[in-house]
Amino acid sequence: MRLKAWYLRHDPQFAALRRATRTAIVMPLLFAFAFFVIGDPAVATFSAFGSFAMLMLVDFGGPMRERLQAQVGLALTGAVFVCLGTLVSKPVWLAVPAMAAVAFLVLFAGTISSVLASASTSLLLAFILPVTLPGTVDSIAPRLLGWGMAAAVSIAAIAILWPAPVREPLRAPATDACRALARRLRADVAFFGGNGRPNLTDARAQAVAEADEAVASLQSVFLGSPYRPTGLSTSARTVVRLVDELNWLNARISQSASSVAVGASSLPHVHESAMTVKSVAADVLDRGADLLARPGGDPEALEREMARLAAARVAAEATAMAAPVLPGREAGGDADPIGGLVSALDPGFRAQEISQSVDQVARNIALTARAERRTWWQRVLGRQPGDGEVPGPLTAAEQRASGYFTWHSGWLQNSIRGAAALAIAVLLADITGVQHSFWVVLGTLSVLRSNALSTGQTALRGVVGTAVGVVVGALLLFAIGTNTVALWVLLPFAILLAGVAPAAISFAAGQAAFTITLVLLFNIIVPTGWSVGLLRIEDIAIGCGVSLLVGVLFWPRGATAALRRALADAYSEGLHYLNAAVRYGLDRCEAVAPKAARPSPESLRAAAASRRLDDTFRTYLSERGTKRIPLAQVTAAVIGVAGVRLASDAIVDVWNGQDAVTGDLAGTRDALELLVERLDHWYRDFGSDLLEGAAPPEPLPPDAALEQRLAQAVATEHDASGDPLTAATAIRIVWTADYLDVVRRLQGAIVAAA
């Protein structure tokens, strides 16, 4: 049991062992069939490496149907690459640019979905093998036959041999987070609705701890994969949105708890309506969790609860608008026009904030369910649920790829680095005339990392591992001599070890096991003894040298510098979106022409910058070496980007229900724009300090004078007919300022991280 527990810590759910076992069964059988029955070395080589590429190097997730679809797509694309690689294998001036172009396209395509990202090594192998084994048009047929045999058997093996359980890594933790947040909301309602009864204190504290733990677990799973865990399917894209949204919701619930007591004492009706909203929001989260737990379930029950939440939200807004007199219009006057009004209205704002966040979560869960309930024909035709809320796969692919096509994108840099390294490796393999040139290219691919130091360390481990494999292979060959039966017997065990060792032991151990596999494989084809291992050391050393050279020449500073740049860019785009959201709201209630359109372009750019940051952060997490900043603090800075973006979403949502008025709100506009400008200056300075490695600016304190100016403007401005502003308009202005204050308060956590 201890051994099993130790192994599961290194290989959760036996993923590596499952891949290795399938390959150890399929690869020798295919190789034997092609070698003895068909009798063609090219068919044998491509069937062996094809099965290795499609079974060992890739492991698609999701339901079985989606896994098989992805496997078929990999097989067909690989077949195209086998043909193309053979056609451009000679002369070398054609092979080198072809290798660069294919490598860049394959590596950069990973920006579109995690399915393409996880298949990149397999697809590259499908091109590297034929392009480094010079052939003619006549060579295509046997190579394609070998690849096709491997594809057919691999697809069957995935469905039959130890099928993997359905892996949707985000769904279960998102379900748990929804349930935990629902319990937290109910605990708040019970505690504050009962005026803080002491006997409920422990229950509320437990609910808070459970919600924090569930949301942290969701974030941990999200960041635990090497690629952003989402594909191009509608359900995959909507589920991944829940990570940021549930993080944001948990933070909003925490903030709301601190303001409830004030509302209860000064405006009890606002307090009561806020408690009602929270109670209904908890019901919505529970129904959402039920739906997430049943893929393909009917969203009707959830949508009924969403309608209840919308009604409770409207009622709460009406209560907030009717309860107070507007600032500065109190009977007898008031020395402080904003006075206790904003704090008294705060529970109403928090209820609106929570209902908006919960509605956003519920909409994405409902879209997930409706996407999963589509018929096969609707999927083929690209029918999307939700009346345009979710773009089609082609639009989504274009948006994602274009979002990464910027010079500071870490993914673009890694794609260029990888393409250059593989092209140089092909050139050097031809110039040096090595016997197995594809080993040079594979060695380059296997050790290239995000910076020169990590690449050098990995290269050293690769060479050492290969040398160990040569020694072990030589000892095996010395012991068994020319007994080919023994070679065939040992081959499956060597393949099994090559698949398990990288996960269970180390990268170097994996290289050693893979070298043993190649020594056995090539001695079966052409018995040459252990000297083939020496050739592999030479080839791997050349490949490692290429990777190290490219790592030094192309962006050698690594993921830490890239993370600083990505954070600065993400906050910059987030503030652009925040500016646009405030302009959109002001134009909805002021006589300006032309009015600002809904800020969709700014929203898309902010989301693209957030995705670039997410991928850069994953690279930072995977990069070896000591992290000078505690991971929790870095994570807080990354999560803060989502906070700015979601606050902007909320401002847009606040103003969507506002009827246009014909008035001049110059004072209100000036005050809000100054609040935004203040935030913009701080985040711009923060980004500059990040890039320069300087200490970040201190968090901004509240600006009482500016808030007073906004309150006076709201109190004194009129519409075109000379009437005072309606309560609806005034309170939306106050709520917009509240959301800007939310963005200001994010600075404390961000500075601690930076």
Side-chain angles (χ1 to χ4, degrees), residues 122-142:
S122 299
L123 288 171
L124 287 174
L125 181 59
F127 186 82
I128 289 170
L129 192 59
V131 84
T132 53
L133 297 176
T136 63
V137 174
D138 294 336
S139 306
I140 292 178

Side-chain angles (χ1 to χ4, degrees), residues 240-548:
V240 81
R241 294 176 183 176
L242 297 177
V243 179
D244 285 342
E245 290 170 357
L246 290 171
N247 260 302
W248 172 255
L249 174 59
N250 190 41
R252 299 305 94 223
I253 296 173
S254 298
Q255 184 63 35
S256 74
S258 64
S259 63
V260 173
V262 175
S265 61
S266 57
L267 287 175
H269 296 302
V270 175
H271 170 76
E272 290 170 9
S273 63
M275 293 298 103
T276 301
V277 168
K278 288 186 176 182
S279 181
V280 178
D283 293 338
V284 172
L285 288 172
D286 271 339
R287 295 294 80 74
D290 293 342
L291 192 57
L292 272 179
R294 299 191 318 273
D298 190 345
E300 185 178 349
L302 173 60
E303 289 168 346
R304 283 197 301 268
E305 295 297 335
M306 291 169 65
R308 282 184 61 217
L309 179 62
R313 178 177 174 180
V314 170
E317 289 180 1
T319 301
M321 293 168 189
V325 286
L326 288 175
R329 300 172 194 159
E330 299 90 334
D334 192 330
D336 180 8
I338 201 70
L341 178 68
V342 174
S343 59
L345 286 177
D346 196 52
F349 166 68
R350 299 302 169 194
Q352 188 277 340
E353 187 180 35
I354 288 172
S355 66
Q356 188 270 340
S357 300
V358 170
D359 183 69
Q360 201 167 20
V361 169
R363 280 204 312 269
N364 279 315
I365 294 174
L367 285 171
T368 301
R370 294 209 171 277
E372 291 170 340
R373 289 172 66 83
R374 290 175 299 168
T375 64
W376 178 85
W377 185 243
Q378 287 173 325
R379 294 171 191 260
V380 170
L381 293 177
R383 300 276 175 84
Q384 298 298 309
D387 192 27
E389 287 187 68
V390 182
L394 291 179
T395 303
E398 186 275 330
Q399 288 176 354
R400 290 183 185 179
S402 61
Y404 285 92
F405 209 79
T406 172
W407 191 245
H408 297 301
S409 163
W411 205 298
L412 178 66
Q413 293 176 0
N414 286 336
S415 300
I416 294 174
R417 183 191 290 115
L422 293 175
I424 293 171
V426 170
L427 178 63
L428 281 182
D430 181 81
I431 292 174
T432 56
V434 294
Q435 186 174 348
H436 300 292
S437 56
F438 74 95
W439 286 357
V440 175
V441 188
L442 286 179
T444 300
L445 179 65
S446 64
V447 303
L448 191 63
R449 293 297 183 268
S450 65
N451 67 359
L453 179 60
S454 291
T455 298
Q457 293 171 344
T458 309
L460 178 61
R461 282 188 286 267
V463 173
V464 170
T466 301
V468 172
V470 170
V471 172
V472 175
L475 292 175
L476 287 173
L477 292 178
F478 179 78
I480 62 179
T482 59
N483 188 340
T484 55
V485 174
L487 294 176
W488 280 104
V489 170
L490 289 173
L491 182 61
F493 295 100
I495 295 170
L496 182 67
L497 183 61
V500 170
I505 306 174
S506 68
F507 172 77
Q511 286 292 302
F514 186 55
T515 299
I516 295 170
T517 301
L518 292 179
V519 168
L520 297 175
L521 196 66
F522 279 89
N523 270 278
I524 290 173
I525 298 175
V526 180
T528 55
W530 61 274
S531 60
V532 70
L534 293 180
L535 295 176
R536 174 163 166 77
I537 291 180
E538 176 189 354
D539 298 340
I540 288 292
I542 294 174
C544 291
V546 171
S547 289
L548 186 57

